[in-house]
């Protein structure tokens, strides 16, 4: 700020963008440790923390990369329990005094128990939207595991999943567009007419869905008005935030057809490719508007957004996404390298020898971009690869860009992404953004950036 006003910082000109994979030598002409900024996996996710996060600040998805069944776990950042109200606790000052005294006396366990009194009722919690599910035929269960590849390209904010079934290679691409406010999925097969799947939506929230126009799925639901459902009188539970999502399916190819299954699923048979567009909206109309008084119609908002989106081609939407995202991501570069060719070379050699001894971890060299991120983390114990540190740094930036944009809610503990209707961070006083990759069930990459706890968008009034 300058003299009490905001100073506008313009986006850099295209000539000032950096190429994250172009630098191969340092200033002394020595080989640098640069690698493409990609998180690479050689199998589908087994746990939520293995899934790949994408987001546009408001809409987010965790991509599991399953073969016979693919799940995109979805979030919209205004979906919370609760309504506007006074959430302060008049007894908190006295409780805080007791907690401080216990801490000063070294009674930390008791202080933790007493700290619960700082809140006289459970805090409201962030909710989830639901799941977009793709189911493929049983032939996909026989895919060639050696061909499986799942990656997140930090430079393009695009997730790709590839694998082969027989002679056919299947490919999926996912990204979350901020300019067009949509989650986009493109699926294709290497042979004409080879793409068949069933598409539908599901959720842990109260919801219903239905097919319309033979290529769209309308999805509607609601958040609880109170976190803990009343036990005596259902009328005590006020109306919560309402939400809607709309899926639009487009296919290509001479033989492809779309059919309605049970009024809530879409089945694709014999297509060359498919593009799925997802938009979502809620009735949240600011922190001081009770959901029951909201004039916003999320279903109508979704229809309007989809009408505009359908006028664009996949190439147009992807170009808008890249132009927007890279104007932010490419503002910052980080180049790290080791000071000596000998040190760099010997470290790589030692890592190769050690990992080669473990038959369960194939090693093809740290400059080979097919090496999984899990393998790179494990080899870091003996080869302090600077490019892995660069990847960690840039991954943190990617996550913040993906979960917080102008006009969106401030990032929660896990950014934009949450799979639970009862998230575990309810009593957090300080929130952190943490996305982890399970590595051999014991090692983790963790991005953790402290931010201010703002809690529910339903602030005190």
């Amino acid at each position: 700020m300058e003299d009490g006003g905001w100073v506008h910082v313009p986006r850099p000109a295209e000539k000032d963008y950096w190429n994250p994979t172009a630098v191969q030598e340092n200033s002394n002409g020595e080989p640098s440790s640069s690698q493409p900024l990609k998180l690479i996996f050689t199998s589908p996710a087994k746990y939520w923390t293995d899934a790949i996060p994408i987001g546009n600040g408001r809409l987010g998805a965790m991509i599991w990369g399953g073969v016979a069944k693919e799940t995109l776990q979805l979030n919209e950042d205004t979906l919370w329990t609760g309504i506007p109200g006074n959430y302060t606790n008049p007894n908190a000052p006295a409780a805080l005094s007791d907690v401080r005294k216990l801490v000063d006396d070294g009674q930390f366990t008791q202080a933790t128990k007493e700290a619960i009194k700082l809140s006289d009722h459970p805090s409201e919690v962030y909710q989830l939207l639901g799941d977009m599910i793709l189911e493929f035929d049983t032939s996909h269960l026989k895919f060639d595991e050696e061909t499986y590849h799942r990656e997140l390209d930090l430079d393009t904010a695009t997730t790709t999943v590839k694998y082969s079934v027989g002679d056919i290679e299947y490919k999926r691409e996912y990204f979350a567009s901020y300019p067009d406010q949509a989650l986009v999925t493109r699926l294709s097969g290497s042979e004409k007419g080879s793409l068949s799947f069933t598409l539908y939506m599901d959720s842990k929230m109260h919801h219903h869905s239905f097919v319309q126009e033979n290529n769209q799925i309308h999805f509607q639901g609601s958040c609880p008005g109170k976190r803990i459902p009343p036990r005596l009188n259902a009328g005590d539970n006020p109306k919560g935030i309402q939400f809607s999502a709309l899926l639009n399916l487009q296919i290509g190819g001479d033989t492809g057809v779309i059919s309605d299954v049970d009024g809530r699923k879409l089945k694709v048979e014999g297509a060359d490719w498919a593009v799925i567009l997802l938009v979502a909206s809620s009735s949240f109309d600011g922190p001081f508007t009770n959901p029951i008084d909201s004039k916003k119609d999320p279903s109508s908002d979704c229809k309007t957004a989809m009408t505009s989106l359908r006028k664009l081609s996949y190439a147009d939407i992807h170009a808008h996404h890249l132009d927007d995202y890279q104007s932010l991501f490419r503002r910052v570069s980080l180049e790290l390298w080791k000071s000596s060719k000998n040190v760099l070379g010997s470290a790589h050699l030692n890592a190769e020898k050690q990992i080669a001894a473990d038959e369960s971890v194939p090693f093809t060299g740290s400059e080979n971009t097919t090496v999984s991120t899990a393998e790179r983390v494990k080899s870091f114990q003996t080869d302090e690869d600077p490019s892995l540190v660069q990847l960690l740094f840039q991954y943190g930036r990617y996550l913040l860009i993906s979960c917080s944009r102008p006009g969106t809610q401030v990032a929660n503990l896990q950014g934009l992404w949450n799979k639970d209707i009862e998230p575990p961070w309810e009593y957090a006083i300080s929130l952190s953004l943490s996305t982890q990759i399970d590595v051999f069930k014991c090692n983790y990459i963790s991005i953790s950036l402290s931010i201010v706890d703002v809690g529910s968008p339903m602030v005190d009034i």
Side-chain angles (χ1 to χ4, degrees):
M1 297 186 69
E2 186 176 283
D3 298 329
W6 290 103
V7 176
H8 175 67
V9 179
R11 290 185 176 182
E14 187 172 350
K15 66 181 179 64
D16 295 324
Y17 289 173
W18 63 283
N19 187 328
T21 61
V23 180
Q24 298 299 323
E25 295 183 344
N26 61 28
S27 58
N28 296 321
E30 297 177 338
S32 73
S33 57
S34 289
Q35 289 192 35
L37 293 174
K38 295 182 179 182
L39 274 67
I40 297 174
F41 304 83
T42 56
S43 63
K46 294 183 179 180
Y47 308 99
W48 187 77
T49 46
D50 292 336
I52 294 177
I54 62 172
N56 65 9
R58 185 177 66 85
L59 294 175
M62 294 291 283
I63 300 166
W64 289 65
V67 176
K69 181 178 181 180
E70 169 68 292
T71 300
L72 273 69
Q73 184 269 308
L74 307 170
N75 289 107
E76 202 275 354
D77 73 343
T78 63
L79 302 187
W80 285 72
T81 61
I83 61 176
N86 186 351
Y87 290 94
T88 60
N89 178 10
N91 299 319
L96 179 60
S97 178
D98 293 339
V99 170
R100 284 173 171 168
K101 185 177 186 305
L102 290 168
V103 171
D104 290 340
D105 294 341
Q107 300 182 45
F108 303 115
T109 300
Q110 187 61 30
T112 299
K113 294 179 181 179
E114 290 296 315
I116 296 176
K117 296 179 181 179
L118 292 171
S119 176
D120 63 345
H121 54 75
S123 60
E124 300 300 338
V125 290
Y126 185 43
Q127 299 289 273
L128 61 154
L129 177 64
D131 297 328
M132 184 180 92
I133 300 171
L134 297 157
E135 291 183 345
F136 300 84
D137 60 53
T138 55
S139 68
H140 287 247
L141 294 172
K142 302 176 183 178
F143 76 102
D144 184 349
E145 294 185 7
E146 293 185 357
T147 65
Y148 185 91
H149 181 87
R150 179 168 56 106
E151 72 174 33
L152 167 62
D153 187 334
L154 301 183
D155 183 49
T156 62
T158 302
T159 294
T160 303
V161 175
K162 294 188 292 185
Y163 59 90
S164 295
V165 178
D167 296 329
I168 303 174
E169 181 183 71
Y170 291 95
K171 183 178 180 180
R172 309 172 194 162
E173 298 170 286
Y174 310 87
F175 63 89
S177 169
Y178 176 71
D180 294 311
Q181 287 296 297
L183 298 178
V184 183
T185 301
R186 188 180 191 278
L187 305 95
S188 61
S190 61
E191 293 185 7
K192 290 184 176 297
S194 60
L195 185 62
S196 299
F197 62 91
T198 300
L199 170 68
Y200 62 98
M201 295 279 290
D202 198 3
S203 180
K204 299 176 184 177
M205 309 293 288
H206 176 73
H207 72 281
H208 70 280
S209 62
F210 58 93
V211 170
Q212 193 172 43
E213 299 182 17
N214 202 47
N215 73 328
Q216 292 188 346
I217 297 178
H218 290 252
F219 180 79
Q220 299 169 338
S222 61
C223 298
K226 290 179 70 174
R227 177 180 173 181
I228 300 178
R231 298 178 181 177
L232 299 179
N233 187 350
D236 291 338
N237 192 5
K239 180 179 180 179
I241 295 173
Q242 309 295 294
F243 60 85
S244 292
L246 179 58
L247 285 177
N248 184 82
L249 173 62
Q250 304 168 10
I251 63 172
D254 298 332
T255 60
V257 295
I258 303 176
S259 56
D260 179 344
V261 180
D262 300 330
R264 58 180 294 267
K265 298 180 179 181
L266 293 174
K267 186 174 183 178
V268 174
E269 295 178 287
D272 294 353
W273 55 264
V275 172
I276 304 167
L277 305 176
L278 185 147
V279 296
S281 183
S282 83
S283 63
F284 178 72
D285 199 17
F288 305 116
T289 300
N290 195 310
I292 199 171
D293 298 323
S294 174
K295 304 301 181 183
K296 290 189 63 179
D297 182 349
S299 294
S300 177
D301 291 345
C302 286
K303 292 178 183 178
T304 300
M306 188 60 74
T307 298
S308 299
L309 202 58
R310 290 175 65 180
K311 298 176 183 178
L312 303 173
S313 68
Y314 174 83
D316 290 335
I317 298 171
H318 191 242
H320 296 167
H321 163 68
L322 287 181
D323 180 65
D324 166 74
Y325 172 78
Q326 290 181 339
S327 69
L328 298 173
F329 186 76
R330 290 188 173 186
R331 286 177 173 181
V332 177
S333 64
L334 176 65
E335 182 72 13
L336 304 174
W337 56 84
K338 295 182 179 180
S339 60
S340 167
K341 290 183 180 179
N342 293 333
V343 172
L344 185 64
S346 63
H348 287 177
L349 182 60
N350 290 337
E352 184 174 356
K353 289 180 178 179
Q354 174 161 334
I355 297 179
D358 183 353
E359 295 180 355
S360 64
V361 185
F363 183 80
T364 54
S366 64
E367 295 300 322
N368 190 324
T369 58
T370 63
V371 175
S372 74
T373 304
E375 292 166 5
R376 293 179 64 189
V377 171
K378 187 172 184 180
S379 70
F380 196 83
Q381 299 174 42
T382 55
D383 173 16
E384 295 183 356
D385 179 6
S387 64
L388 185 61
V389 178
Q390 293 170 199
L391 181 66
L392 184 67
F393 170 77
Q394 295 290 9
Y395 184 43
R397 296 186 59 246
Y398 163 83
L399 291 171
L400 286 175
I401 293 171
S402 300
C403 73
S404 183
R405 289 293 198 102
T408 68
Q409 304 301 310
V410 176
N412 292 294
L413 173 67
Q414 291 168 189
L416 176 61
W417 306 278
N418 164 48
K419 64 179 176 63
D420 300 310
I421 57 176
E422 288 288 334
W425 60 84
E426 59 185 280
Y427 294 114
I429 297 175
S430 169
L431 299 182
S432 67
L433 169 68
S434 179
T435 299
Q436 298 177 328
I437 305 167
D438 185 11
V439 180
F440 296 104
K441 299 185 177 65
C442 61
N443 296 322
Y444 292 89
I445 290 179
S446 178
I447 310 301
S448 183
L449 301 170
S450 295
I451 60 175
V452 177
D453 179 10
V454 294
S456 166
M458 295 299 187
V459 299
D460 298 346
I461 59 174

